Amino acid sequence: MKLKDLLQNVEVLEMHADPELEVRDICYDSRAARGDDLFVAIPGFETDGHKYIGAAVKNGASVVLCERKPEVETPYVLVRDSRLALALVSVVYYKNPASDMKIIGVTGTNGKTTSTMLIKHLLETKLGAKVGLIGTNHNMIGEEILPTERTTPESYELQKLLRDMADAGCTHVVMEVSSHSLTLHRVAGLRFAVGLFTNLTQDHLDFHGTMEAYAQAKALLFSQCEKGGVNLDDAYAKTMLDSAKCPMVTWSLEKNEADIVAKDLRLAADGVKFCALAMGSLARAKLGIPGRFSVYNALTVITCGMLLGLDAESCCDALSDAQGVKGRVEVVPTDGDYTILIDYAHTPDAMENVLRGMREVTEGRLVILFGCGGDRDRTKRPIMGRMAAEFADFFVVTSDNPRTEDPEAIVADILEGVHCQKNRYQVIVNRREAIAWVIDNHRPGDVIILAGKGHEDYQIIGKEKFHMDEREIVAEHLARRAQERS
């Protein structure tokens, strides 16, 4: 593709290259550069791509897209924001794949993964659509599962993935849209058929700094949508609505003025039931995932379906036979009259939501095992400790992904927020040992929540990723218990 064609949507400050130059491919990692590539130099958080322009040129890159003039002799194009430019040239390079499909974006702190999976199910069952999915757990092209490294891929990889989805016959794509991806222009150049906001609670403040900045980052989604939907019960709903540049609808459990309202809630250990009053229609909804937060996820799905032209009854019918999502209030088999759930809750609000949701259906003690990730927002650690002490009957503090931090120091941060009797909690830094302990010390009727890891089947210690699947840990420990009893 000619350089001038790739740059058609980019604000060019200076052009020091032949516009007719043929570009083979685009890269932003100098090690991946090959002959006739366009190398995009991106200022990063750990390093600066401008330092590697020489390496990229040596590897064969024929032209550089950058924010500062290269120190080596090479054709280059100067731009104001190379991250944004990478996204825009990637759209053109992959022939704007989103234009061939309807893209649904879901943003928010909690509920994105479950909501996107449920929306995928809705579109497949009620529209007969082939649906792509981009999210935290994995990416999917129809039923084909692809691994993922981050919630929203970098713009070049995102456009390649969308092209693969379009070429495979997908008519719709449902994607989780992270605040990072919006701020860092990973989704620049995309136009969403529908954008949805679930909620906003403390997370990623190591990146955004304040909750207000975090909210404004999420609100960027609604400048790229044809239509949008917002959870009116969230404290930051007004920010989303005020920032929107498209028609918006709202949903709620608490406010009758919302366009879609849940009434007559019935919560049980095996799921939720409610009536959906949806823009003049009434439909009965049932979802086999327990917890009040599941009602919010269901409302997200109903809103999306109606914005795409489905009626409320069809949306509710699809929810009734939807399956749960791995790592989201996932029930794990046990050897007795107690329940083990695996949930991704790794923020204070997510912890409160899952504990409140399970409180309503727990006969014995409500127990939670959790830690906090290293090299991430430290301010939420004592808050997580306080939440556990406030909403659980008993809790175990352990490791999550400590990364390069000392696991015991992370635990100490969590304990700063714990102000309760010491007989209400246990500290076991090794997560495998902690899971074994909590199983061995259960009581009849207990609900035990293993929180934080969710779908993850690994633990990051230092900079290495080690296999660790909590489902396997539970099954192996239960097998040992059975063998010891026999």
Side-chain angles (χ1 to χ4, degrees):
M1 185 175 290
K2 292 185 185 299
L3 179 61
K4 67 178 183 180
D5 295 328
L6 281 176
L7 297 172
Q8 62 187 267
N9 298 319
V10 177
E11 180 188 1
V12 175
L13 301 180
E14 293 180 29
M15 172 77 82
H16 294 271
D18 181 1
E20 300 295 326
L21 184 71
E22 285 288 341
V23 174
R24 183 191 68 89
D25 203 348
I26 302 164
C27 67
Y28 57 93
D29 183 336
S30 62
R31 295 167 296 186
R34 297 294 181 268
D36 299 325
D37 279 2
L38 168 66
F39 175 69
V40 185
I42 299 175
F45 297 101
E46 294 183 1
T47 188
D48 187 342
H50 290 79
K51 295 179 180 179
Y52 301 97
I53 290 175
V57 171
K58 185 177 180 180
N59 286 338
S62 58
V63 60
V64 174
L65 193 62
C66 50
E67 297 178 11
R68 301 191 304 273
K69 183 178 178 179
E71 295 180 359
V72 298
E73 193 67 32
T74 183
Y76 68 94
V77 179
L78 207 62
V79 296
R80 199 178 309 280
D81 188 327
S82 54
R83 278 189 183 276
L84 176 58
L86 173 64
L88 298 179
V89 297
S90 297
V91 170
V92 175
Y93 182 77
Y94 284 108
K95 300 177 182 176
N96 194 11
S99 64
D100 298 329
M101 303 176 286
K102 288 187 180 295
I103 313 295
I104 296 100
V106 182
T107 197
T109 309
N110 304 311
K112 296 190 299 295
T113 298
T114 300
S115 295
T116 52
M117 289 293 289
L118 293 173
I119 291 169
K120 183 176 187 290
H121 174 74
L122 167 69
L123 299 177
E124 290 169 340
T125 56
K126 294 305 174 182
L127 294 181
K130 184 170 184 178
V131 183
L133 179 110
I134 301 172
T136 304
N137 280 19
H138 49 242
N139 300 325
M140 298 180 73
I141 300 178
E143 296 305 310
E144 181 187 0
I145 296 176
L146 308 172
T148 182
E149 289 295 322
R150 49 164 69 108
T151 299
T152 311
E154 186 54 80
S155 57
Y156 176 83
E157 284 76 21
L158 174 60
Q159 293 301 324
K160 182 180 186 303
L161 180 58
L162 290 172
R163 173 44 61 198
D164 290 343
M165 290 176 172
D167 290 348
C170 290
T171 57
H172 295 71
V173 175
V174 190
M175 63 182 291
E176 298 180 43
V177 185
S178 68
S179 57
H180 288 69
S181 72
L182 289 159
T183 304
L184 299 176
H185 304 304
R186 290 179 197 153
V187 294
L190 275 184
R191 190 70 180 167
F192 295 88
V194 174
L196 302 158
F197 168 73
T198 60
N199 52 62
L200 196 80
T201 59
Q202 183 170 336
D203 200 15
H204 303 307
L205 294 192
D206 54 321
F207 179 77
H208 294 291
T210 66
M211 287 297 292
E212 289 69 27
Y214 185 24
Q216 288 297 334
K218 293 289 189 185
L220 291 171
L221 175 64
F222 299 105
S223 63
Q224 297 178 231
C225 297
E226 300 294 336
K227 301 175 183 177
V230 168
N231 171 13
L232 196 58
D233 294 342
D234 189 82
Y236 290 92
K238 187 176 186 301
T239 300
M240 305 301 142
L241 293 169
D242 289 347
S243 301
K245 296 179 181 178
C246 62
M248 302 288 284
V249 299
T250 58
W251 68 84
S252 174
L253 270 68
E254 303 169 0
K255 298 179 175 67
N256 290 330
E257 65 267 28
D259 298 298
I260 302 172
V261 183
K263 294 288 187 181
D264 191 23
L265 271 62
R266 300 182 184 183
L267 308 177
D270 61 349
V272 298
K273 296 179 181 179
F274 63 94
C275 288
L277 301 175
M279 294 183 275
S281 61
L282 173 65
R284 297 189 179 278
K286 178 178 72 172
L287 179 60
I289 306 173
R292 184 176 296 268
F293 48 85
S294 288
V295 181
Y296 280 106
N297 291 338
L299 289 173
T300 306
V301 177
I302 294 168
T303 301
C304 180
M306 296 189 74
L307 287 174
L308 290 172
L310 293 168
D311 58 49
E313 189 171 349
S314 294
C315 297
C316 291
D317 182 61
L319 287 170
S320 66
D321 63 357
Q323 301 298 310
V325 178
K326 182 178 181 181
R328 267 60 176 184
V329 202
E330 178 186 352
V331 179
V332 180
T334 67
D335 59 354
D337 56 349
Y338 64 104
T339 301
I340 295 178
L341 303 173
I342 293 177
D343 192 76
Y344 191 50
H346 63 284
T347 66
D349 186 72
M351 176 183 280
E352 180 180 350
N353 282 343
V354 73
L355 287 171
R356 282 185 181 275
M358 293 303 105
R359 170 64 68 196
E360 297 170 286
V361 295
T362 299
E363 296 179 1
R365 298 178 307 166
L366 184 56
V367 180
I368 190 164
L369 176 150
F370 73 101
C372 288
D375 302 333
R376 296 295 185 270
D377 181 9
R378 291 187 59 179
T379 65
K380 72 179 182 182
R381 295 173 187 173
I383 302 173
M384 297 278 280
R386 188 176 76 245
M387 289 293 175
E390 183 175 350
F391 294 105
D393 297 310
F394 190 90
F395 57 98
V396 179
V397 182
T398 185
S399 284
D400 192 280
N401 291 320
R403 298 184 177 88
T404 64
E405 287 194 63
D406 178 359
E408 293 192 2
I410 297 173
V411 168
D413 287 343
I414 294 170
L415 293 178
E416 287 181 8
V418 173
H419 303 290
C420 65
Q421 295 179 340
K422 290 190 175 180
N423 63 0
R424 284 192 51 215
Y425 68 92
Q426 181 72 262
V427 175
I428 304 174
V429 176
N430 183 292
R431 194 170 181 105
R432 290 177 180 273
E433 294 176 5
I435 292 171
W437 187 92
V438 79
I439 292 172
D440 291 342
N441 289 275
H442 79 269
R443 297 178 189 174
D446 282 358
V447 171
I448 300 169
I449 303 166
L450 308 181
K453 298 295 292 173
H455 60 282
E456 295 177 354
D457 59 1
Y458 58 84
Q459 186 175 39
I460 303 173
I461 301 174
K463 293 192 175 182
E464 291 189 63
K465 185 182 287 188
F466 298 90
H467 179 76
M468 190 183 78
D469 189 319
E470 293 187 329
R471 297 150 201 79
E472 295 173 5
I473 294 172
V474 171
E476 290 166 3
H477 188 68
L478 293 179
R480 281 195 296 270
R481 282 162 55 93
Q483 189 174 22
E484 289 169 1
R485 287 196 295 265
S486 62

